[in-house]
Amino acid sequence: DLSQHYRARLASLSESNDAPGDGLTPAFYKHYVAVTRKLLEVERQAAVELRKERRINDEGLRELERELDLSASRLAERS
């Protein structure tokens, strides 16, 4: 699942991996957070579009929005 993927990636970035050459600089992390926020917004827009096309119902949209909200809040806690 996509949200699990991002949680795992975020967890790997949040761990203390300060070894030289690991590429996990503060600038990289900041970029990662920005890209992840954009992806969450794209997912949110896709969910709304699925509802407009009647491919999912209101309950499905609410579930997707809830998952996206949780992912966004987890991201906000760590940034």
Side-chain angles (χ1 to χ4, degrees), residues 26-51:
F28 175 84
Y29 180 74
K30 184 178 179 180
H31 178 71
Y32 174 80
V33 169
V35 168
T36 302
R37 283 189 177 127
K38 291 272 189 191
L39 287 171
L40 288 171
E41 184 57 35
V42 168
E43 288 181 70
R44 187 176 305 276
Q45 291 170 358
V48 169
E49 196 60 35
L50 288 171
R51 177 61 189 112

Side-chain angles (χ1 to χ4, degrees), residues 42-69:
V42 168
E43 288 181 70
R44 187 176 305 276
Q45 291 170 358
V48 169
E49 196 60 35
L50 288 171
R51 177 61 189 112
K52 284 181 184 177
E53 295 171 357
R54 298 178 190 252
R55 294 174 65 189
I56 60 173
N57 60 19
D58 288 338
E59 183 179 340
L61 177 60
R62 281 192 299 272
E63 287 180 31
L64 289 171
E65 287 177 326
R66 181 179 181 276
E67 286 297 317
L68 292 168
D69 289 344

